Amino acid sequence: MRQVVSNTGPLISLEKLSQGYDFIRRLYDTLIITPVVLEEVAAGQFATPDEYLQHYNISDLLEVRRVSQVRKLPEAERLHKGETQAIQLALELQLPLLIEETVGRRVAQSMGIQISGIAGQVIKAFRQGIISATEAQAKLSELLRAGRINRKIYEALLASLSKV
């Protein structure tokens, strides 16, 4: 099974991409999230988390799991509840973590967790031959236009596409 734990931010980024969830299905069979992450991503848009899952047709892609091994994290006071739980779940399951927030990324890395954001997943898909350079450029442009990555990151990632 190709599995990864995800925080809220990457799910929002997938929503901003045209066919974002279809894209991530090409890399993973399951995105594991906590109940809090599902609540955060659905809040304000949908009456219930189930409506979110149905709207994006991802009930089979997202697996909701509770953290069973709560661990103290560095800088815990600077993390949102969803970030804290996503990091704890990635530690517990010994899986990589999709996370985009700076403090959360730093904490996860300090705990030895392999991290990536959606822009990194675009590069991964390109390097694995899952998407073309043109499709990778288009997805990175969508992330830039949606404010999910900044211009400096965008330009660095575009440059990395031409080095392969």
Side-chain angles (χ1 to χ4, degrees):
M1 280 285 275
R2 301 172 308 157
Q3 299 181 321
V4 66
V5 174
S6 183
N7 184 35
T8 309
L11 301 180
I12 294 168
S13 290
L14 289 171
E15 292 171 16
K16 305 294 183 192
L17 290 178
S18 58
Q19 301 173 338
Y21 280 113
D22 290 338
F23 161 72
I24 206 71
R25 284 178 189 276
R26 294 158 79 183
L27 291 168
Y28 300 101
D29 299 315
T30 309
L31 301 183
I32 303 170
I33 62 172
T34 67
V36 169
V37 167
L38 181 56
E39 289 168 16
E40 286 178 354
V41 78
Q45 301 183 81
F46 299 91
T48 67
D50 280 341
E51 283 184 21
Y52 178 85
L53 297 173
Q54 290 169 5
H55 176 80
Y56 288 104
N57 193 26
I58 53 173
S59 296
D60 63 322
L61 177 64
L62 296 187
E63 179 181 321
V64 181
R65 285 200 206 172
R66 296 192 183 283
V67 175
S68 62
Q69 300 174 6
V70 176
R71 300 175 192 202
K72 184 158 174 49
L73 300 176
E75 299 185 74
E77 69 284 351
R78 298 186 64 200
L79 299 173
H80 296 287
K81 191 172 181 180
E83 285 174 296
T84 299
Q85 288 186 2
I87 293 167
Q88 291 172 334
L89 192 59
L91 280 168
E92 183 177 316
L93 301 176
Q94 298 184 332
L95 288 172
L97 175 64
L98 297 179
I99 189 165
E100 296 179 339
E101 298 78 12
T102 304
V103 176
R105 289 173 72 94
R106 183 174 59 240
V107 170
Q109 282 184 304
S110 76
M111 305 290 290
I113 299 170
Q114 181 186 343
I115 63 160
S116 176
I118 296 305
Q121 295 302 298
V122 169
I123 300 302
K124 176 182 176 177
F126 169 71
R127 290 191 175 142
Q128 290 181 359
I130 294 170
I131 61 174
S132 67
T134 303
E135 188 177 351
Q137 289 171 345
K139 292 203 176 306
L140 293 172
S141 292
E142 285 181 273
L143 291 171
L144 176 66
R145 281 193 310 272
R148 300 306 295 173
I149 58 174
N150 65 39
R151 179 145 308 269
K152 183 177 176 183
I153 291 171
Y154 171 76
E155 289 172 2
L157 293 175
L158 277 186
S160 78
L161 290 175
S162 61
K163 293 178 184 172
V164 176

